[in-house]
Every structure is written in structure tokens, then in C-alpha cells.
Amino acid sequence: MDILNNREWAIIIWIFILILFTLYSPKMKKIRRAFRKVLKSFFVKSIITILALMIIYITIIVFGLFKIGLWESNQLKNTIIWAISVGALSLFKINPIKKDPHFFKNSVFDNFKLIAIVQFVVGIYTFNLLIELLLIPVLVMLCTMLVLAKTDDKYHLVEKILSRIMAIIGIIFIFYSTYMLATNFGEFAKIQTIYDFSIPPLLTLLYLPFIFIMMVFRTYELVFIKLKSQINESKVQHFAKIYSMSKFHFRIDLLERWVSILPFQDTSSKEGIKISVKQIFKMVSTEKDPPEIPHREGWSPYTAKQFLLNEGLETGYYHPIVPEEWFASSPLIEVGNDIISNYISYFVDGNEYIANSLMLILDVYSRESATIAHSKLLSCIRTLLKAALDLDISSDMETAIMKGKNQIFKFDFFMVTIEKNDWSKNRISGYDIKFVLSKI
């Protein structure tokens, strides 16, 4: 196959034209200044060091594949494209990668899915250079318009039309590639084609350890920055760094949990640091085998955290905030699609072993959509009562929730408190409703 196909040449030509326009057009002065600032911030020691390590690592991989006969010099183009589009970009997506538990598995298997094979075949057979030069700006414009149309529901019709146009273009590409494959199969059925298809996923597989190491390094770097503000004594701070590395190793999820509870721990001494680390391992052990809690005493916090998963309210870790008080909370979940949104959140309070208070808070900023927000709160309360006490909501409680009335209800060993707090004294004309299910 050629070093560059017509589509790649077309992309290079358009990039060159865009660069020339940016460099010499009087209308692009602000863009040039902004671009210089971006370049200046890019060429810093930390970024250059990581990119240099990436290049060294990839070079070692490629040399190893070359020595065992799995890489040839005609794969240089594919390797460079992969290094830029996958290797370098992955380094700038470390945080999203860390949050995706399936990233490492999907990174390999996605390369062998049917869609990847189709994309590969379509990429082999290109149109003549003139058609490709016309296609590139058209496709870029359509993709940009489609992305913008998806940002607002009022452009739904435009999004629908653009999606169909893109689908038609995709079908044309597939039909053309299928025709070329059928009429010129000899050009496709070469050893070179196998190399072209297999080298990128092979490089991805061998690159994953480097991504993992960078992810661990970045996590420790951020944690050590936080330690500077959380531990005043420099000797204790240094000890905390060494001790955390010796105990957590590559378990960065535990490392992050540890630094999140440090503000509530004694960090004035080395012994306090040791106790805080032991606390994390104790928490993990308890989560794996939580103790049984008698019904009249409350709930297992690790069970209570799961009560509202079906309502989209997932809490974080259950952790201490003071020696005898533990806590877990969900993020604020948006209710409705108004410009000014309302929010709902869920909280679990108790001690180390027993949750004795479950709370929902509805923050209403938009009174126009208050009914929708109250309905969401009512749905969450129904789910919570059923999960926590195996009770159905009463009509009186339902009325109190929908109307925002302060009221108290009692059930054997538990009580429900509904409290409305009006913000009319503040600049924001809204209110919040607290629903608390607690042990009496």
C-alpha cells in the first residue's frame, strides 16, 4: 500500500491550508496569540518529560516487535498515527480513564469488533484526491453541526436530518469499499493488510502498562499535593508519603479514599497517619462483610447506600467525619431540564457500624418546575420507605410532600420528619425540603 492514501493526503493538504490561513490572515491575530499561549503552556518540563517517556516506551515496544518479526518498516506510518491518536491522547485523558473500570478491557476488544473491521476496510479504499479534498470540509462541517445540534432539544429536527445525511454518506462509503473489495480482492488479500489491521491493537495492548503506570504516578502526584495542605508538620508529611506508598502500592482507589478522610483524622503525628491508613483497610474489610444490624437499631450503612440506586442516587464511600459520626452522600442530581434546575440528593448518617438517619434534600431553584421536582422527591421517598421499612407511603405523607408542609410521622422505632425551608429572605426565591427517616 502507498505510504499515504488519498484521504490522508487530503487531510494533510487541508491542515496545511488552515495553518497558512491562521499564520497570515489579519482576521486571525487573536487566534495566533491564543495559540502561542497554548504552545507556551504545553512546553513545560512535566509534559515534555511524560511525552519523552512515552516515545521511549513506544520505541522499545516497536523494537521488540521488530526483533520477533511482528513489525516492519512499512508500518512506520501506522505506528506514528497510532502514537498521536491513541498514545499521546490517552495521556491527556488519565482522569476519565481512571473513572472507567472497563477501559483496559475495552481498549483491546474494541479493536476487533465488527465496526472496527468495517472502519478499517472503508479506510483502505478511498476516492480520488479531488473528491477527498471536497469531502473532508463537508464532513467536518456536518459533524460540527451535528455536535452543536445535540446540545439543545430545540434543534432536534436538525439533529435528525443531519444524522440521516451522515448515515447515507456512511452507507455510500461502505458500498464503495465493498465494491472495491469484490472487484480488487487481490490488492486487499496481502500480508501487508494483516499487518495494517493487527499492529494498532497490538500496540494498544502493549501500551496499557504504560498508561497504568502514568495513572498511578498522576494519582500519587495529586495526593501528595493535597498532603501539603492537610499535614502541617514537614516530617510527618514526608512520612505520610513514604508510608502511603508502602501500604497502598498500585491500589490508587484506596489511596484516594485515604486522602479524602485525612481532614477528619489526627495528622499531627506519625502514629496518627498509621491509624488513618489502618482505618481504610478496616473500612474495606467491613464493606466486604458488613455486620447484621437488628431492625430496631437502624440499618447497615452499606445496605442503606444502595436503597436509591434505581432512582439514580448513588452515594460515595461511607466514612468518618468526626470520631463518632460517619457519613455518605450522593452528588446533586438535576431534576428537570429548565435553564435554572432543581436538585435532589441523598445522605446516610450514623456511626461506624449502624446508619440511624437517612435523608433526602430537594433544592428548588425554579418554582415553575416545582411540581416535577416534588414528584421526583415523592418517588424517591416511596422507594426509600419500601427498602428501609417495607412500608408504603400514606396519603397524608404524600400530601405533605407535594405541598411542602412541615410534618412528623412515627412508625414503631422510627420517625419521619418533613421540613420546608423557604429562601425568601435571600436573593434566590427558592426553598428546600428535607425528608429525614431516623431512629427514635
Side-chain angles (χ1 to χ4, degrees):
M1 295 182 185
D2 297 332
I3 294 176
L4 293 174
N5 61 36
N6 287 338
R7 188 163 300 144
E8 290 161 346
W9 276 118
I11 292 171
I12 289 173
I13 290 169
W14 276 112
I15 290 175
F16 183 69
I17 291 171
L18 184 62
I19 290 172
L20 288 178
F21 179 73
T22 303
L23 287 175
Y24 296 106
S25 173
K27 298 178 181 179
M28 302 297 285
K29 284 184 178 179
K30 291 183 179 179
I31 300 294
R32 287 196 290 271
R33 283 198 294 267
F35 188 68
R36 279 195 291 268
K37 290 180 181 178
V38 171
L39 282 178
K40 189 177 180 180
S41 63
F42 182 82
F43 286 102
V44 294
K45 184 179 178 181
S46 58
I47 294 178
I48 296 300
T49 301
I50 290 174
L51 290 176
L53 289 173
M54 180 200 78
I55 293 170
I56 293 170
Y57 185 86
I58 293 174
T59 302
I60 293 171
I61 290 174
V62 169
F63 180 75
L65 292 175
F66 172 74
K67 293 298 287 184
I68 61 176
L70 294 179
W71 191 91
E72 295 181 354
S73 58
N74 52 26
Q75 285 299 311
L76 182 60
K77 179 196 76 171
N78 290 335
T79 303
I80 292 172
I81 292 173
W82 174 88
I84 296 170
S85 62
V86 176
L89 288 182
S90 295
L91 296 176
F92 294 97
K93 297 191 294 183
I94 289 295
N95 287 334
I97 288 172
K98 188 165 60 176
K99 294 175 183 177
D100 182 2
H102 306 295
F103 169 78
F104 292 98
K105 180 182 73 175
N106 292 341
S107 295
V108 178
F109 289 115
D110 283 353
N111 286 282
F112 297 99
K113 289 180 179 178
L114 179 60
I115 184 66
I117 297 171
V118 172
Q119 289 173 339
F120 173 74
V121 174
V122 168
I124 289 178
Y125 296 109
T126 61
F127 301 101
N128 66 55
L129 184 58
L130 180 59
I131 294 176
E132 292 289 347
L133 283 169
L134 294 173
L135 270 176
I136 295 300
V138 170
L139 290 175
V140 169
M141 182 181 67
L142 287 173
C143 289
T144 304
M145 291 171 63
L146 184 58
V147 169
L148 293 174
K150 288 181 177 180
T151 60
D152 199 316
D153 289 339
K154 67 182 180 182
Y155 301 128
H156 177 69
L157 182 59
V158 177
E159 179 192 344
K160 195 173 180 180
I161 294 170
L162 289 172
S163 295
R164 288 181 178 178
I165 292 173
M166 293 298 290
I168 291 169
I169 293 174
I171 291 170
I172 292 171
F173 273 76
I174 291 171
F175 271 110
Y176 175 74
S177 299
T178 304
Y179 168 77
M180 293 298 293
L181 186 63
T183 57
N184 194 17
F185 187 74
E187 181 66 22
F188 178 81
K190 293 180 177 178
I191 295 296
Q192 178 66 30
T193 305
I194 298 174
Y195 274 105
D196 288 342
F197 179 73
S198 61
I199 286 298
L202 185 57
L203 289 173
T204 299
L205 176 64
L206 296 173
Y207 187 67
L208 292 180
F210 183 77
I211 289 292
F212 179 72
I213 291 169
M214 288 296 104
M215 188 168 66
V216 172
F217 171 79
R218 178 59 177 163
T219 303
Y220 271 101
E221 184 180 42
L222 293 175
V223 165
F224 289 169
I225 290 171
K226 290 180 181 178
L227 291 181
K228 291 181 180 179
S229 61
Q230 293 176 349
I231 303 175
N232 296 323
E233 188 68 41
S234 58
K235 289 183 179 179
V236 178
Q237 189 183 118
H238 181 70
F239 173 80
K241 292 178 181 179
I242 301 298
Y243 193 71
S244 62
M245 286 191 291
S246 69
K247 292 297 181 180
F248 295 122
H249 312 304
F250 296 110
R251 292 172 290 191
I252 54 178
D253 54 335
L254 297 185
L255 176 70
E256 290 180 318
R257 285 187 68 174
W258 171 68
V259 80
S260 70
I261 70 166
L262 272 186
F264 314 110
Q265 305 290 309
D266 174 20
T267 58
S268 60
S269 65
K270 295 179 180 180
E271 189 59 33
I273 297 299
K274 289 181 179 180
I275 292 172
S276 68
V277 171
K278 288 178 183 177
Q279 180 72 70
I280 289 296
F281 288 106
K282 185 180 178 182
M283 288 162 61
V284 172
S285 177
T286 305
E287 287 171 8
K288 290 179 179 178
D289 186 23
E292 290 289 334
I293 307 299
H295 174 67
R296 66 176 62 191
E297 292 185 16
W299 306 270
S300 164
Y302 306 105
T303 303
K305 285 174 53 185
Q306 314 297 318
F307 283 162
L308 294 177
L309 285 181
N310 291 337
E311 295 287 348
L313 291 166
E314 182 177 4
T315 72
Y317 295 115
Y318 189 67
H319 61 85
I321 51 176
V322 292
E324 296 300 323
E325 186 177 349
W326 287 53
F327 168 87
S329 66
S330 74
L332 293 171
I333 302 299
E334 189 174 345
V335 181
N337 297 313
D338 290 358
I339 295 175
I340 301 176
S341 298
N342 304 315
Y343 297 90
I344 192 169
S345 49
Y346 175 50
F347 303 83
V348 178
D349 287 282
N351 57 40
E352 185 174 357
Y353 301 105
I354 301 174
N356 48 43
S357 175
L358 311 177
M359 180 168 62
L360 282 161
I361 298 181
L362 177 69
D363 296 312
V364 178
Y365 294 90
S366 172
R367 291 180 181 265
E368 290 76 13
S369 59
T371 302
I372 295 173
H374 281 243
S375 297
K376 176 61 177 176
L377 176 62
L378 182 61
S379 174
C380 291
I381 290 171
R382 281 200 186 101
T383 304
L384 184 60
L385 285 175
K386 196 67 178 176
L389 300 178
D390 195 24
L391 287 176
D392 294 319
I393 193 169
S394 67
S395 58
D396 289 342
M397 189 184 297
E398 186 172 331
T399 301
I401 293 162
M402 292 305 294
K403 292 186 177 181
K405 292 169 58 179
N406 293 346
Q407 207 158 339
I408 294 175
F409 302 86
K410 293 185 178 180
F411 313 96
D412 296 330
F413 310 105
F414 303 93
M415 74 174 181
V416 163
T417 304
I418 299 171
E419 180 184 340
K420 181 181 179 182
N421 177 36
D422 205 307
W423 306 339
S424 57
K425 295 180 180 179
N426 302 326
R427 291 183 179 180
I428 301 173
S429 179
Y431 59 89
D432 63 64
I433 296 178
K434 293 181 182 178
F435 174 91
V436 182
L437 173 59
S438 58
K439 180 181 174 296
I440 297 175

